[in-house]
Amino acid sequence: MIILISNDDGIHSEGLHALEAALRTVGDIYTVAPDREQSAVSHALTLHRPLRIEEIAPRRFAVDGTPTDCVNLAVKGFLPVRPDLVVSGINKGANLGDDITYSGTVSAAIEGSLLGIPAIAVSVVSWHKPFHFAPAAEFAAVLAGEVLAQGMPKDTLLNVNVPNLPRHELKGYRVTRQGKRHYSETLEVRIDPRGRKYYWIGGDDLGFDPQAGTDCVAVSEGYISVSPLHVDMTNYRALHELRDLQLPWR
Ligand code: MN
């Protein structure tokens, strides 16, 4: 079985190395990853300049593009074989709730899914050292083996978030739905040495809606969260409510 590995933290990321080591026990791996950090680039594709690829080791390739570029070009003919599975990560930082819309890590998995390949995104829930990549990598290998053996529902990717804990402190795993994060609405405004204003966006993490069954709650309780996602963003409840929409338009 062929596994394509990518990420958004870049080809030199420690989390990527941990994932590669674990998935080597599951299948034949190829790594095609950005040549530098591309966190929060979401599902961007590079369409207005050429992409260059450097083979930095056998079956390890660095691309001067986004995570989505990496998966796209790898699947569409750069690799000599079509992958059976795409695994993205292991990201330094959570991809819970609304984070998913910004995430380069999840977007690499989305790209695999859009190209008809089962895909998994894996993140560790912490933004600072020490990162416990080993338990996340071990879980990713188990899940990857299961997906390769059993398949996955069509048009689905799995978004995995692992609490940043040593193996023996993880309580287990839960299959979850996407929760709702709270971000601060502050904007940092500062003055540069030439007297011009500059801005920092991103804000602080202010917690989450404590709804049972969500990714946020599972992780906060010490469980690995596995959320099945798909790309159909239709709000079916709203579709129903808007069925009789009347606009003054002919
Ligand atoms: Mn990242």
Side-chain angles (χ1 to χ4, degrees):
M1 289 291 196
I2 308 295
I3 304 174
L4 169 62
I5 300 175
S6 193
N7 75 348
D8 78 355
D9 291 338
I11 190 99
H12 301 297
S13 171
E14 199 187 333
L16 182 71
H17 291 296
L19 186 62
E20 289 172 318
L23 292 183
R24 214 165 265 135
T25 65
V26 181
D28 287 337
I29 65 169
Y30 287 88
T31 300
V32 183
D35 63 358
R36 67 198 71 185
E37 174 154 1
Q38 294 280 342
S39 293
V41 301
S42 189
H43 199 217
L45 262 188
T46 302
L47 298 179
H48 300 289
R49 63 171 177 82
L51 290 166
R52 307 283 180 184
I53 305 178
E54 187 185 356
E55 182 169 15
I56 59 175
R59 295 190 175 192
R60 294 194 92 233
F61 302 91
V63 180
D64 62 345
T66 67
T68 298
D69 294 334
C70 292
V71 173
N72 187 289
L73 63 83
V75 173
K76 287 189 176 174
F78 175 71
L79 294 185
V81 283
R82 185 175 168 86
D84 300 294
L85 176 69
V86 173
V87 186
S88 176
I90 299 168
N91 190 55
K92 293 178 178 176
N95 279 304
L96 298 163
D98 315 283
D99 295 341
I100 292 166
T101 61
Y102 303 106
S103 173
T105 305
V106 174
S107 291
I110 286 175
E111 190 65 8
S113 174
L114 288 175
L115 294 167
I117 300 171
I120 303 171
V122 188
S123 306
V124 161
V125 184
S126 179
W127 278 268
H128 42 76
K129 290 182 177 179
F131 290 99
H132 295 281
F133 288 120
E138 184 192 338
F139 185 79
V142 170
L143 187 61
E146 185 69 12
V147 169
L148 285 171
Q150 305 294 332
M152 203 148 61
K154 197 171 178 296
D155 299 327
T156 304
L157 60 128
L158 299 178
N159 182 37
V160 178
N161 281 272
V162 183
N164 192 38
L165 298 169
R167 175 73 169 87
H168 66 275
E169 289 181 33
L170 289 171
K171 289 197 190 149
Y173 62 90
R174 283 182 182 162
V175 177
T176 61
R177 66 194 166 93
Q178 185 182 342
K180 182 79 187 155
R181 297 260 272 188
H182 302 158
Y183 303 109
S184 74
E185 296 193 1
T186 57
L187 173 66
E188 286 277 341
V189 187
R190 299 185 191 176
I191 308 292
D192 76 15
R194 296 186 180 85
R196 290 180 58 196
K197 283 183 182 170
Y198 67 96
Y199 304 86
W200 279 105
I201 58 172
D204 296 323
D205 175 11
L206 297 181
F208 53 87
D209 282 358
Q211 291 178 29
T214 60
D215 51 3
C216 301
V217 166
V219 161
S220 74
E221 293 178 351
Y223 292 86
I224 297 170
S225 166
V226 181
S227 296
L229 305 180
H230 66 168
V231 187
D232 179 354
M233 293 196 194
T234 310
N235 182 336
Y236 286 94
R237 203 168 36 204
L239 186 65
H240 189 73
E241 286 172 20
L242 293 174
R243 207 176 31 186
D244 300 322
L245 180 69
Q246 298 283 342
L247 293 176
W249 171 265
R250 286 182 173 278

